[in-house]
Amino acid sequence: MCGIVGYIGNKKATPILINGLLSLEYRGYDSAGIAVLENNKIVVMKDKGRVNNLNNIDGINNLNGTIGIAHTRWATHGKPSKENSHPHLDNSNSFAVVHNGIIENYNELRNFLTEKGYTFISQTDTEVIPNLIHYYYKNGIKDENVFLRAVKSAVDDLKGSYAIEVISPLFPNRVIVVRKDSPLVIGKGENENYIASDIPAILSHTKNFYLLDDNEYAEIYTDHINFYDSSLVSHSKAVKNIEWDASAAEKDGFEDYMLKEIFEQPNSIRETIGSRLKLNELCSFDDLDLSKEYLQSINKIYIVACGTAMHAGLAGKNAIEKLCRIPVTVDIASEFRYRDPIIDDKTLCIYISQSGETADTIAALKLAKTKGAKTLAVSNVIGSSITREANYTIYTHAGPEIAVASTKAYTSQVVLLVILAIYFAEILNSTPANLLNDLKADILDLPVKIETILDQLEPIKDFAKKVYTQKDMFFLGRGTDYNVALEGSLKLKEISYIHSEAYSAGELKHGPIALIENGITVVSILTDPSLVEKSISNIQEVITRGAKTLVITNQNLTNKHFDFVINIPNTNPLISPILSVVPLQLLAYYISKNKGLDVDKPRNLAKSVTVE
Ligand code: F6R
């Protein structure tokens, strides 16, 4: 998805912009570009393809300008091409704009501007913005604030979502930014300021950030920043200290971000647990104060999310239903928002989003709010859009997740949801304290147990080598193991491009077993003692039809004729996904590596899906 970087200060802007874009590569993109103010002109250099291609553009290294904006584009309107890449200029080359999001009424605005004599070079929705700014500038009173007013008038015409940066040689001492439903942060330096769509892009320069709100403008100078609301009334804004370590956003010696993030899971889970859960103490959330009366009044919970976050929601459902006896429905956000769900003030809606910027999840949250439900966001990104919309937010604290395929965010989401379920159960008194305490002990043991799985990579690497040429694979499980099968299958598809399906093992004979043929690989997860025997019978059914089987289990299974077995430590079934998913993440990773693919940036995918 698109990324934004900006700089204003006394240093050469170009290397700062390009390095910022490089650290945003994980968002997924197809073209990149920069605009720098140089000798009272805007110089734009852009092209389709990788950010590093910018370094080959003639003259880019000779740019000395100290104010600039930059962008990585993930095509929505118009194919990936140089013309469609950002930054975009108005017809008089007076305003350069980069934009994340989508302008829904761009056709209407394009027609309006065309009538006024403006022409367009690209097929993008964005190109209307610099031209609208020019239109309002030309027709505005030429005082010190005309630039800001022109940007505001243009923005007032836009329908959709946007994070926008604008520079102009007519006002060569400032960058103007504004956002709505698309993230934008400003990093405060000493006599310099940085701008980015994501904190990691500028984390190596500063830890002090202003998190721009929806419909808020900032006029950014070298030594100060003015903030304005949507009517251009100025206000002060508190700076936020973000304690992420810059090195946490780098690879730390691992070959890929994904592998680094898989190995970070013992620590990210420790961070998620934090001081919220301790043995023999009640769970507590600093960031949550739900009363017993309110929790008793809830008759239904929805957990809404997309992709991997939705799979974490399935584990959350199991925990909440088991420990609190409140019915939970898990919904895909893009379905939930259009299916007219039954919601009222007795409904609690939980939204899970690593990025906190997923358009469908945010829209689904807004819907529940309009129907009177309380909303609770589970997110990894501080100050992200979803956290501003929700009544309550609890953070996973998993640290930045850079690889497109989600790994540590998933395990932290599951841990956090289970802690939330315990917290609810303690308030509601719905599960005996000794059982909750046993579960707490199991949660506290998770990091060490994951470390033991990470110590045994060889069998997984061997299996990956044997199966990476396969065209199709199947993942089976029952109960919570089925939820993990879904996640294992998604991980495999997205980074190895192998077609895979996940089925509930008991459902196999109702149709999917017709697909099983000689030599096909079936991965089964067997961790829930109450379901193991039944699952084994289902696996025997595929073995007799010629399948090669990999079994991931915490049970002592001997003489079952499985081709490969990966043993994982035992734990409470409510949290077993956190352990059983790790070999599946590694399997997908090594299969992708064997195929020589770009693990961190799989084709067609974006880290943060900010369009519907
Ligand atoms: C899969 C993956 C996606 C995301 C989904 C939701 O590895 O990363 O399926 O889980 O796009 O993203 P967030 O959690 O940012 O809302």
Side-chain angles (χ1 to χ4, degrees):
M1 203 98 325
C2 309
I4 283 181
V5 181
Y7 177 74
I8 178 162
N10 301 308
K11 297 180 189 139
K12 271 172 87 157
T14 305
I16 294 171
L17 297 174
I18 293 180
N19 284 333
L21 291 183
L22 283 172
S23 53
L24 284 182
E25 281 194 304
Y26 64 90
R27 287 178 70 99
Y29 69 101
D30 47 55
S31 34
I34 64 166
V36 173
L37 291 185
E38 187 84 358
N39 304 325
N40 267 331
K41 280 204 185 94
I42 303 172
V43 178
V44 174
M45 297 200 171
K46 58 185 186 178
D47 211 344
K48 71 172 185 183
R50 293 293 190 202
V51 172
N52 268 329
N53 296 351
L54 292 176
N55 288 315
N56 302 330
I57 298 178
D58 264 0
I60 199 156
N61 295 323
N62 302 330
L63 293 177
N64 292 317
T66 61
I67 299 178
I69 57 179
H71 192 259
T72 44
R73 172 172 188 257
W74 188 74
T76 56
H77 295 74
K79 61 180 195 296
S81 69
K82 183 173 174 182
E83 292 68 39
N84 288 335
S85 311
H86 299 210
H88 289 284
L89 293 169
D90 71 302
N91 287 174
S92 69
N93 293 349
S94 304
F95 299 97
V97 167
V98 299
H99 159 231
N100 281 3
I102 287 183
I103 306 304
E104 287 161 9
N105 59 337
Y106 82 102
N107 258 330
E108 199 182 300
L109 296 171
R110 216 172 152 118
N111 291 341
F112 166 79
L113 289 164
T114 307
E115 271 171 31
K116 302 282 174 208
Y118 288 85
T119 55
F120 295 89
I121 299 166
S122 78
Q123 294 129 22
T124 64
D125 51 343
T126 303
E127 202 183 354
V128 297
I129 303 173
N131 284 306
L132 273 178
I133 295 172
H134 176 263
Y135 171 77
Y136 287 112
Y137 166 75
K138 199 179 63 182
N139 295 311
I141 300 164
K142 303 287 180 299
D143 60 12
E144 174 63 15
N145 290 326
V146 61
F147 183 19
L148 183 62
R149 281 201 314 273
V151 174
K152 179 206 158 12
S153 301
V155 166
D156 283 349
D157 287 346
L158 306 179
K159 288 200 183 111
S161 58
Y162 43 81
I164 296 169
E165 286 181 321
V166 197
I167 53 170
S168 169
L170 304 171
F171 305 91
N173 59 348
R174 70 197 85 164
V175 182
I176 292 181
V177 298
V178 57
R179 64 155 268 178
K180 180 176 157 278
D181 297 336
S182 192
L184 203 73
V185 299
I186 301 166
K188 183 178 178 306
E190 277 299 312
N191 275 325
E192 58 182 359
N193 289 303
Y194 300 83
I195 305 150
S197 50
D198 293 46
I199 290 169
I202 50 178
L203 199 55
S204 57
H205 301 290
T206 179
K207 290 204 170 6
N208 295 319
F209 290 90
Y210 296 101
L211 309 177
L212 210 63
D213 285 317
D214 265 356
N215 305 311
E216 187 177 30
Y217 292 80
E219 211 176 18
I220 306 165
Y221 296 83
T222 295
D223 55 358
H224 69 284
I225 305 170
N226 301 329
F227 293 97
Y228 303 91
D229 69 10
S230 57
S231 312
L232 296 190
V233 176
S234 73
H235 57 262
S236 58
K237 194 170 176 79
V239 72
K240 221 175 161 81
N241 188 258
I242 304 275
E243 274 311 326
W244 283 0
D245 183 351
S247 72
E250 291 162 13
K251 283 190 199 153
D252 260 355
F254 284 92
E255 233 177 286
D256 314 86
Y257 284 113
M258 181 175 173
L259 192 61
K260 172 176 176 265
E261 286 158 10
I262 291 172
F263 272 80
E264 277 173 347
Q265 290 178 110
N267 272 337
S268 49
I269 288 173
R270 284 187 188 104
E271 292 294 326
T272 305
I273 298 171
S275 58
R276 291 158 167 163
L277 177 139
K278 295 185 184 129
L279 263 194
N280 304 315
E281 284 184 30
L282 294 178
C283 285
S284 67
F285 280 88
D286 294 342
D287 22 22
L288 210 58
D289 58 342
L290 295 174
S291 67
K292 183 169 185 169
E293 292 66 41
Y294 170 68
L295 285 176
Q296 279 172 335
S297 76
I298 296 174
N299 55 23
K300 169 166 47 11
I301 294 179
Y302 285 113
I303 298 183
V304 185
C306 303
T308 289
M310 192 275 289
H311 294 158
L314 296 170
K317 169 189 162 85
N318 289 341
I320 296 172
E321 288 193 337
K322 179 100 182 153
L323 303 180
C324 312
R325 307 312 291 164
I326 302 174
V328 181
T329 303
V330 179
D331 262 74
I332 297 168
S334 55
E335 294 293 326
F336 182 78
R337 55 188 290 204
Y338 294 115
R339 74 169 177 82
D340 194 15
I342 301 167
I343 304 174
D344 58 25
D345 60 353
K346 295 191 173 49
T347 315
L348 172 65
C349 294
I350 300 176
Y351 296 85
I352 311 170
S353 176
Q354 186 285 128
S355 63
E357 303 297 344
T358 301
D360 283 318
T361 312
I362 294 169
L365 186 151
K366 287 182 179 165
L367 172 82
K369 270 172 86 179
T370 62
K371 299 198 172 205
K374 281 217 185 336
T375 55
L376 166 63
V378 174
S379 184
N380 194 36
V381 179
I382 294 170
S384 59
S385 302
I386 203 163
T387 67
R388 292 157 198 226
E389 288 291 338
N391 298 108
Y392 305 99
T393 297
I394 50 177
Y395 287 105
T396 40
H397 296 312
E401 191 179 65
I402 308 291
V404 166
S406 186
T407 52
K408 64 175 181 169
Y410 169 82
T411 44
S412 281
Q413 285 159 353
V414 177
V415 168
L416 191 53
L417 289 164
V418 177
I419 298 176
L420 185 71
I422 300 174
Y423 168 78
F424 286 176
E426 285 174 338
I427 296 175
L428 293 166
N429 209 7
S430 50
T431 298
N434 61 323
L435 294 186
L436 293 180
N437 215 39
D438 290 350
L439 177 56
K440 285 179 192 172
D442 282 333
I443 292 175
L444 291 166
D445 283 345
L446 283 170
V448 171
K449 289 181 176 172
I450 293 183
E451 277 158 9
T452 66
I453 300 173
L454 294 173
D455 279 346
Q456 300 164 34
L457 295 180
E458 289 316 313
I460 302 172
K461 282 186 181 172
D462 283 353
F463 187 75
K465 232 180 238 145
K466 292 202 162 66
V467 299
Y468 77 92
T469 52
Q470 295 250 328
K471 294 264 176 293
D472 305 281
M473 277 173 68
F474 292 87
F475 290 76
L476 303 181
R478 280 174 176 252
T480 191
D481 293 335
Y482 168 51
N483 303 159
V484 179
L486 288 166
E487 176 57 10
S489 171
L490 176 63
K491 228 57 337 159
L492 183 74
K493 313 181 170 74
E494 61 184 330
I495 60 167
S496 76
Y497 316 148
I498 293 176
H499 166 250
S500 77
E501 303 276 354
Y503 289 110
S504 154
E507 185 64 8
L508 207 62
K509 55 188 162 304
H510 298 287
I513 200 160
L515 296 169
I516 303 298
E517 56 188 19
N518 213 17
I520 204 148
T521 301
V522 176
V523 178
S524 302
I525 304 107
L526 296 183
T527 69
D528 186 337
S530 66
L531 296 168
V532 159
E533 281 311 320
K534 292 198 182 308
S535 293
I536 289 175
S537 306
N538 300 134
I539 302 170
Q540 298 299 349
E541 289 161 12
V542 300
I543 291 176
T544 49
R545 285 159 181 85
K548 292 259 162 292
T549 49
L550 164 68
V551 170
I552 294 165
T553 187
N554 55 19
Q555 305 294 302
N556 193 7
L557 304 176
T558 44
N559 299 327
K560 298 287 184 203
H561 309 298
F562 304 140
D563 296 288
F564 295 87
V565 176
I566 291 174
N567 290 300
I568 58 171
N570 210 346
T571 193
N572 186 308
L574 289 181
I575 50 172
S576 66
I578 297 160
L579 300 181
S580 51
V581 79
V582 178
L584 296 175
Q585 296 168 342
L586 289 163
L587 181 64
Y589 173 82
Y590 286 114
I591 288 178
S592 175
K593 291 301 277 185
N594 273 296
K595 292 183 80 170
L597 299 172
D598 187 341
V599 177
D600 286 337
K601 293 190 277 292
R603 70 185 180 201
N604 305 339
L605 290 178
K607 182 68 184 160
S608 170
V609 185
T610 51
V611 293
E612 196 182 330

Coordinates of all heavy atoms in Angstrom, one line a residue, residues 141-172:
I141 N -6.9 35.5 -2.0 CA -6.2 36.7 -1.7 C -4.8 36.3 -1.3 O -4.5 35.4 -0.5 CB -6.9 37.4 -0.4 CG1 -8.3 37.7 -0.8 CG2 -6.1 38.6 0.0 CD1 -9.2 38.0 0.4
K142 N -3.8 37.1 -2.0 CA -2.4 36.6 -1.9 C -1.8 37.1 -0.6 O -1.0 38.1 -0.6 CB -1.6 37.1 -3.1 CG -2.2 36.6 -4.4 CD -1.9 35.2 -4.7 CE -2.4 34.7 -6.0 NZ -3.9 34.8 -6.2
D143 N -2.1 36.6 0.5 CA -1.4 36.9 1.8 C -0.6 35.7 2.2 O -0.6 34.7 1.5 CB -2.4 37.4 2.8 CG -3.4 36.3 3.2 OD1 -3.2 35.2 2.8 OD2 -4.5 36.6 3.8
E144 N 0.0 35.8 3.4 CA 0.8 34.8 4.0 C 0.1 33.4 4.1 O 0.7 32.3 4.0 CB 1.4 35.3 5.3 CG 2.2 34.3 6.1 CD 3.5 33.8 5.5 OE1 3.9 34.5 4.5 OE2 4.0 32.8 5.9
N145 N -1.2 33.5 4.3 CA -2.0 32.2 4.5 C -2.6 31.6 3.3 O -3.4 30.7 3.4 CB -3.0 32.4 5.6 CG -2.4 32.6 7.0 OD1 -1.3 32.0 7.2 ND2 -2.9 33.5 7.8
V146 N -2.4 32.2 2.1 CA -3.1 31.8 0.9 C -2.8 30.3 0.6 O -3.7 29.6 0.1 CB -2.8 32.7 -0.3 CG1 -1.3 32.7 -0.7 CG2 -3.7 32.4 -1.5
F147 N -1.6 29.9 0.9 CA -1.2 28.5 0.5 C -2.1 27.5 1.4 O -2.7 26.6 0.9 CB 0.3 28.3 0.8 CG 0.9 26.9 0.5 CD1 0.2 26.0 -0.4 CD2 2.1 26.6 1.1 CE1 0.8 24.8 -0.7 CE2 2.7 25.3 0.8 CZ 2.0 24.4 -0.1
L148 N -2.1 27.8 2.7 CA -2.9 26.9 3.6 C -4.4 27.0 3.2 O -5.0 25.9 3.1 CB -2.7 27.4 5.0 CG -3.4 26.5 6.1 CD1 -2.9 25.1 6.1 CD2 -3.2 27.2 7.5
R149 N -4.9 28.2 2.9 CA -6.3 28.3 2.6 C -6.6 27.5 1.3 O -7.6 26.9 1.1 CB -6.7 29.7 2.4 CG -6.9 30.4 3.8 CD -7.8 31.7 3.6 NE -7.4 32.5 2.4 CZ -6.4 33.4 2.5 NH1 -5.8 33.7 3.7 NH2 -6.1 34.1 1.4
A150 N -5.6 27.6 0.3 CA -5.9 26.9 -1.0 C -5.9 25.4 -0.8 O -6.7 24.7 -1.3 CB -4.8 27.3 -2.0
V151 N -5.0 24.9 0.1 CA -5.0 23.5 0.4 C -6.3 23.1 1.0 O -7.0 22.1 0.7 CB -3.8 23.1 1.3 CG1 -3.9 21.6 1.7 CG2 -2.5 23.3 0.6
K152 N -6.7 23.9 2.0 CA -8.0 23.6 2.7 C -9.2 23.6 1.7 O -10.0 22.7 1.8 CB -8.3 24.6 3.8 CG -9.6 24.3 4.6 CD -10.1 25.5 5.2 CE -11.6 25.6 5.5 NZ -12.4 24.4 5.5
S153 N -9.3 24.6 0.8 CA -10.4 24.7 -0.1 C -10.4 23.4 -1.0 O -11.4 22.8 -1.3 CB -10.3 25.9 -1.0 OG -10.3 27.0 -0.1
A154 N -9.2 23.0 -1.4 CA -9.1 21.8 -2.3 C -9.6 20.6 -1.5 O -10.4 19.8 -2.0 CB -7.7 21.6 -2.8
V155 N -9.1 20.5 -0.3 CA -9.4 19.3 0.6 C -10.9 19.3 0.8 O -11.5 18.2 0.9 CB -8.6 19.3 1.9 CG1 -9.1 18.4 2.9 CG2 -7.1 19.0 1.5
D156 N -11.5 20.5 1.0 CA -13.0 20.5 1.3 C -13.7 19.9 0.1 O -14.9 19.4 0.3 CB -13.4 22.0 1.5 CG -13.1 22.5 2.9 OD1 -12.7 21.6 3.7 OD2 -13.2 23.7 3.1
D157 N -13.2 19.9 -1.1 CA -13.8 19.4 -2.3 C -13.7 17.8 -2.4 O -14.3 17.2 -3.2 CB -13.3 20.0 -3.6 CG -13.7 21.4 -3.7 OD1 -14.6 21.8 -3.0 OD2 -13.1 22.1 -4.6
L158 N -12.8 17.3 -1.6 CA -12.4 15.8 -1.8 C -13.4 15.0 -1.0 O -13.7 15.2 0.2 CB -11.0 15.5 -1.3 CG -9.9 16.4 -1.9 CD1 -8.6 16.0 -1.3 CD2 -9.8 16.2 -3.4
K159 N -13.8 13.9 -1.6 CA -14.6 12.8 -0.9 C -13.7 11.6 -0.9 O -13.2 11.2 -2.0 CB -15.9 12.5 -1.6 CG -16.9 13.6 -1.5 CD -18.3 13.0 -1.8 CE -19.3 14.2 -1.7 NZ -19.9 14.5 -3.0
G160 N -13.5 10.9 0.2 CA -12.7 9.7 0.2 C -11.7 9.8 1.4 O -12.0 10.4 2.4
S161 N -10.6 9.1 1.2 CA -9.6 9.0 2.2 C -8.3 9.6 1.7 O -8.0 9.5 0.5 CB -9.4 7.6 2.6 OG -9.0 6.8 1.5
Y162 N -7.6 10.3 2.6 CA -6.3 10.9 2.1 C -5.4 11.2 3.3 O -5.8 11.5 4.4 CB -6.6 12.1 1.3 CG -7.6 13.0 2.0 CD1 -7.3 13.9 3.0 CD2 -9.0 13.0 1.5 CE1 -8.3 14.7 3.6 CE2 -9.9 13.8 2.1 CZ -9.6 14.7 3.2 OH -10.5 15.5 3.8
A163 N -4.1 11.0 2.9 CA -3.0 11.6 3.7 C -2.3 12.4 2.6 O -1.9 11.8 1.6 CB -2.2 10.6 4.4
I164 N -2.1 13.7 2.8 CA -1.5 14.5 1.7 C -0.4 15.3 2.2 O -0.4 15.9 3.3 CB -2.6 15.4 1.2 CG1 -3.8 14.6 0.5 CG2 -2.1 16.4 0.1 CD1 -5.0 15.5 0.2
E165 N 0.7 15.4 1.4 CA 1.8 16.4 1.6 C 1.8 17.3 0.4 O 1.7 16.8 -0.7 CB 3.1 15.7 1.6 CG 3.5 14.8 2.8 CD 4.9 14.2 2.6 OE1 5.3 13.8 1.5 OE2 5.6 14.2 3.6
V166 N 2.0 18.6 0.7 CA 2.1 19.6 -0.4 C 3.4 20.4 -0.2 O 3.6 20.9 0.9 CB 0.9 20.5 -0.5 CG1 0.8 21.2 -1.9 CG2 -0.4 19.8 -0.2
I167 N 4.1 20.7 -1.3 CA 5.2 21.7 -1.2 C 5.0 22.6 -2.4 O 4.4 22.3 -3.5 CB 6.6 21.1 -1.3 CG1 6.8 20.2 -2.4 CG2 6.9 20.5 0.1 CD1 8.3 19.7 -2.6
S168 N 5.6 23.8 -2.3 CA 5.4 24.8 -3.4 C 6.7 25.7 -3.4 O 7.1 26.2 -2.3 CB 4.2 25.6 -3.2 OG 4.2 26.7 -4.1
P169 N 7.2 26.0 -4.6 CA 8.3 27.0 -4.6 C 7.9 28.4 -4.3 O 8.7 29.3 -4.0 CB 8.9 26.9 -6.1 CG 7.8 26.2 -6.8 CD 6.9 25.4 -5.9
L170 N 6.6 28.6 -4.4 CA 6.0 29.9 -4.0 C 6.1 30.2 -2.5 O 6.1 31.3 -2.0 CB 4.6 30.1 -4.5 CG 4.3 29.8 -6.0 CD1 2.8 29.7 -6.2 CD2 4.9 30.9 -6.8
F171 N 6.2 29.1 -1.8 CA 6.3 29.1 -0.3 C 7.4 28.2 0.1 O 7.1 27.1 0.7 CB 4.9 28.7 0.3 CG 3.8 29.6 -0.2 CD1 3.1 29.1 -1.3 CD2 3.5 30.8 0.4 CE1 2.1 29.9 -1.9 CE2 2.5 31.6 -0.2 CZ 1.8 31.1 -1.3
P172 N 8.6 28.6 -0.1 CA 9.7 27.6 -0.1 C 10.2 27.2 1.3 O 11.3 26.7 1.5 CB 10.8 28.2 -0.9 CG 10.6 29.7 -0.8 CD 9.1 29.9 -0.6

